[in-house]
Amino acid sequence: MQGSLLCHGHWGALHQLLGLSVVRARPNKKTVWLHFMMGTMRQRSCCSPASLLMAMPTRALMDEPIMLEARHLPPHYSITMRARMRSEEGDLWESLAHYHSDGRGVVNLSRDEAQGGSYTGREPMGLFWSLLPAPGEREGLRLRKKNVETPYTVRVSLLRGHVSSPEASGYGRDAQGRDAQVQEEELAAVTLERWYMAPGVRRVAIREGGVVGTLFLPPGPGPFPAVLDLWGMGGGLVEYRSALLASQGFASLALAYFGHRDIPGPLHRINVGDAYFLAAFRLLQDHPQVCGDSVAVLGLSFGVFLTLRIATHLPVNPRCVIGINGPMGSMNKLVDFGGKGESFQEDQKHWSYDEEGYVSFRGVSLPGNIPPTTW
């Protein structure tokens, strides 16, 4: 018989080794060793499969749900799920959540409720939206993707017991739920990629007619509905929202309008006016892969004011207007069509700061502080 099969003379030794009842090998039957041993492992209670952590999918868009499930745990067992990732600047971000396995030794984040940690309740994507800078990292961090052509890489770990803090302090609850100093033990792990750009999305730098931005086009010939994408007082060119919009089938132009080296003038001032935004809208509208009558304008923060101004003051007809967390008007008096904007010096009069030095812009957008001429 071949070496992968059990010869008749080996059964006695196997019987003594495993404590099994004698099984006769039939020379005319091919008894496969692997099949025999797998069957034995299922029968022996002292041997159990290693803990398993599964993720589906492991490569996903930032707005795509990821299913996380742990298997082969003891029934009603205390575990911690922990997510860790590095930002492009090298800072560590992390989150964790406490769970108990069910009677079959399974934890499913789409079904089960977190009992503590970075969040509580049934939150299938809680490990991702609750990510915060890890203890000891720099303060005042903001997670903002600059290179949308690379993913965030997230490692999700399955830890024994309830770890009480993202910091590896070692204190928490053990697997039986008792207060204890827990020696951190990783039972299983999986590495995920989270992307802003789907396969086939095209990224095109725009430096045309004075317009500075990045155009993202979905896969295929189009034509596509389109979005003119405006950010706020952070300035620069922010691309990740436009990349994600293109991944969902919208042509999107991420537009810079101040704080960018390719726009002439001081970086701290808005050195463009209505003519600039009109040129950007028409550039997008006239693109051969864009549905010209299906162009939206999307603004965040100060971009909301600009979005409303484009829709009400310029000779264009957006299909829709979307404003996210921004003012209806501005304290800066923007001059008429074709003129230039101003700096944010007037806005700063109504900035407020907390004890830790963080700024609040709430007063900037209060109706009483906005001149009626700028609405």
Side-chain angles (χ1 to χ4, degrees), residues 78-79 97-100 112-122 162:
S78 300
I79 61 97
H98 302 156
Y99 291 93
H100 296 287
D112 300 329
E113 295 189 359
Q115 305 302 310
S118 300
Y119 60 91
T120 59
R122 188 172 68 86
H162 283 170

Side-chain angles (χ1 to χ4, degrees), residues 11-26:
W11 284 108
L14 183 64
H15 171 218
Q16 295 177 0
L17 181 64
L18 297 180
L20 302 175
S21 58
V22 177
V23 178
R24 294 183 180 274
R26 300 178 181 179

